[in-house]
Amino acid sequence: MSIRVCLVDDQTLVRHGIRGLLDIPGDIEVVAEASDGAEGVAAVAEHAPDVVLLDLRMPRHDGLWALDELRTRGLDVPVLVLTTFDDDELVLRALRAGARGYLLKDVTLEQLVGAVRTLADGGTLISPAITERLLRAVRESPAPPDDDVPIQQLSERELEVLRLLAGGYANREIAQVLFLAEGTVKNHVSSVLGKLGTRDRTRAVLRALHHGLLDPPHGPEDTR
């Protein structure tokens, strides 16, 4: 079954280019396009895509607005930020607003397709190219709003799972790496989120980075 994608970018040529590239693998289908955040949110509500590719800098309603609106409306869809803007603070704001991945538009087709598949499979993806700078931005920025929630101590196994979450691994991939059943991994992930006081994987990784619980993460592309 195809991965259904919604493209949100104010540049028509860029959208058409990305659509053409995503047609190549054969397992991804672009089901909707939008030129700003408001159109994007409406498209998500109408078409229920598996993944949203979202630009941040757009006229009228931008990508950050769209992320907030998706959360407000309870539209829980994985969002991959795809932008030309290499701005640490913008990356951090987008991830805290609910984006599950961030790539610059100079990525290869293989990297883009891999990111879409990773998010569709329940994983997260923070490009290793920006990991070190993001780590600095997290540590230097004010604590996130949920930081008054106490962190419970994680077990060694939960820390292993957390490190793989930070690398963008989906549950199935974590199960393969740690030689566990996928159901066991899901239980560990739920426990990690609960102990970190967060609702999703991305916020868990950001909070763990902020509190020094993680070394700079290494994604699947580093080991495959």
Side-chain angles (χ1 to χ4, degrees):
M1 188 166 58
S2 295
I3 300 170
R4 295 162 48 85
V5 169
C6 174
L7 298 177
V8 186
D9 194 299
D10 63 309
Q11 298 182 33
T12 304
L13 188 61
V14 170
R15 292 200 310 274
H16 289 178
I18 294 173
R19 175 191 280 271
L21 290 172
L22 292 178
D23 282 342
I24 295 174
D27 63 337
I28 299 174
E29 177 188 6
V30 176
V31 296
E33 294 183 24
S35 61
D36 78 344
E39 289 183 9
V41 171
V44 169
E46 179 179 356
H47 297 279
D50 300 309
V51 177
V52 175
L53 267 58
L54 179 70
D55 192 13
L56 289 181
R57 303 277 193 177
M58 295 180 288
R60 298 183 299 276
H61 296 92
D62 64 12
L64 291 174
W65 181 93
L67 285 165
D68 288 338
E69 189 69 10
L70 287 171
R71 186 172 64 246
T72 298
R73 295 194 186 190
L75 297 171
D76 186 20
V77 56
V79 175
L80 174 65
V81 170
L82 188 64
T83 182
T84 57
F85 290 88
D86 192 3
D87 182 320
D88 299 345
E89 182 57 30
L90 203 58
V91 175
L92 188 54
R93 288 174 62 193
L95 293 173
R96 282 183 172 159
R100 297 189 199 174
Y102 187 101
L103 288 178
L104 298 178
K105 286 180 179 176
D106 63 355
V107 295
T108 65
L109 172 60
E110 182 180 7
Q111 289 171 321
L112 176 59
V113 169
V116 170
R117 290 171 178 162
T118 293
L119 265 66
D121 201 30
T124 59
L125 191 142
I126 302 174
S127 171
I130 63 171
T131 295
E132 288 285 356
R133 293 171 47 208
L134 178 59
L135 182 58
R136 274 200 310 274
V138 168
R139 287 176 174 168
E140 293 171 1
S141 69
D146 62 357
D147 205 58
D148 57 343
V149 179
I151 291 178
Q152 301 177 45
Q153 184 172 355
L154 273 63
S155 68
E156 285 300 318
R157 177 64 83 188
E158 288 166 345
L159 282 171
E160 288 179 326
V161 170
L162 178 59
R163 292 186 188 104
L164 291 170
L165 289 179
Y169 284 70
N171 288 348
R172 182 178 58 206
E173 295 171 311
I174 295 174
Q176 292 170 348
V177 170
L178 298 181
F179 302 102
L180 298 172
E182 191 170 346
T184 302
V185 171
K186 289 180 180 178
N187 291 337
H188 283 312
V189 171
S190 296
S191 180
V192 168
L193 297 186
K195 288 185 175 182
L196 292 177
T198 57
R199 296 173 295 175
D200 60 54
R201 296 165 180 243
T202 305
R203 287 187 179 86
V205 171
L206 289 175
R207 195 162 195 228
L209 285 170
H210 190 86
H211 287 274
L213 299 180
L214 289 171
D215 296 324
H218 300 286
E221 61 248 63
D222 295 327
T223 58
R224 297 178 189 172

